[in-house]
Amino acid sequence: MKIEDIKVYVCSPGRNFVTVKIFTDEGVYGLGDATVNGRELAVVAYLEEHVIPCLIGRDAHQIEDIWQYLSKGAYWQNGAISMAAIGAIDVALWDIKGKIAGLPVYQLLGGKSRRAVTVYAHVNGSSIDEVIDNLEIAIKEGYKVVRLQSAIPSLEGTYGTLDGKKNYYELQGSRPLPPEQIWSTTKYLNFIPELFKRAREKFGYDIELCHDIHSRLTPIEAAQLGKMLEPYRLKFMEDTTTYDNPEGYKIIRNHTTTPIALGEKFNTIWDAKPLIENQYIDFVRTAATHGGGITPLKKLADFAALYHVRMAPHGAPDLSPVCFMAHMHLDLWAPNFGVQEFIGFGTPELNEVFTYNATLKEGEIYIDDTPGLGIEFNEDLAKKYPYKRSYLPVSRLEDGTLWNW
Ligand code: CS2
Ligand code: MG
């Protein structure tokens, strides 16, 4: 079965997505997601100029060899742009293999390890009261795991307070250049434990809670935060500090029993390796799109399992439904699956362009047994939603110093 053609589509049904479609000479096609938020067209150029010409005529069954060829064979390895390109090709090839086999991708990985995929919902607010009200709604909806984020009083622009209470996710396309937000670690650390205290006082300890810090603390500050949050027993605190220096995570680990999640920006298993083998983290958050596809994520899951580290794949709105479905198959299979991030099924425009069968019931997602990934992309409808240049926000300290996002 030969690869006959590969097309790349960029559309913006609510936000930008880069979708790859591989066509074979047997009439079967596969889909992949190559979206890198704020750098979408760089991936398109990488695919169209440097990847696709090398793949025409190759055997679509040779997923592993194609992955090695695009990765090792490229000389310039790794990085967000090239790994998203390789990830999209890899996911599309798994989709094709499943369709040819007449099996959903999770069967090719080793079959189901659980009935459905437990997800964590996002609960945000511009004050603790608002977050608590929204948490009550999420619990009533049946979620068992929830991520809590709150705006910090006297700090403009964190979660849920931009542009008339909009979530930062919704800013896409609305500004030509990156919006800027102010950050103060002192104000944050003085404020955030109270959010979790209030949540526990009102809802007890059965609801599992997570929190994302977007790398804004130093290791010792992250250790302080972990200690302060210990009484509220989080499922995990995510991205407390940057991962450029894995030893920073040793400092955090040595001081606190609050579990640690990391890895939504990892592009390879090697990014995760020192953090996993030293047992500095508890959940690894690498996505099929940014981590180079299903092939390396399967290896990452198996490696992580040796160290009691569980999978908690990134599920932000800038990963397309194609990546979401790739994660559903990985999550159903992985024996060491932890939890899947989930921000809802998205806008009507999005669900017009991407169609798939996934049902949310009591905080768990069920998919059906459609061969392959079980997702369709309507390229004609996608044309209705052209690309819009767009950026994530940038963070600065109160004195203007550029800070981590
Ligand atoms: C976040 C992301 O979902 C998460 O955990 O860290 O929302 C992140 O900000 C975006 O994916 C960046 O593109
Ligand atoms: Mg995150």
Side-chain angles (χ1 to χ4, degrees), residues 37 147 168-169 212 214 238 264 285 314 316 318 341 392 405:
N37 196 1
R147 181 186 104 160
Y168 73 89
Y169 293 128
D212 192 350
H214 284 108
E238 177 196 341
E264 69 180 39
R285 305 220 343 103
H314 189 198
D318 49 289
E341 182 179 16
L392 274 169
W405 167 260

Side-chain angles (χ1 to χ4, degrees), residues 3-9 19-24 30 32 47-48 51-58 66 70 85 88-89 92-93 96:
I3 296 176
E4 222 171 44
D5 195 10
I6 304 178
K7 289 205 158 63
V8 186
Y9 308 88
T19 305
V20 167
K21 191 166 181 178
I22 301 184
F23 300 85
T24 64
L47 278 160
E48 290 183 344
V51 171
I52 294 172
C54 306
L55 296 183
I56 307 302
R58 282 181 194 275
I66 289 176
L70 292 175
I89 298 290
L93 292 175
I96 290 170

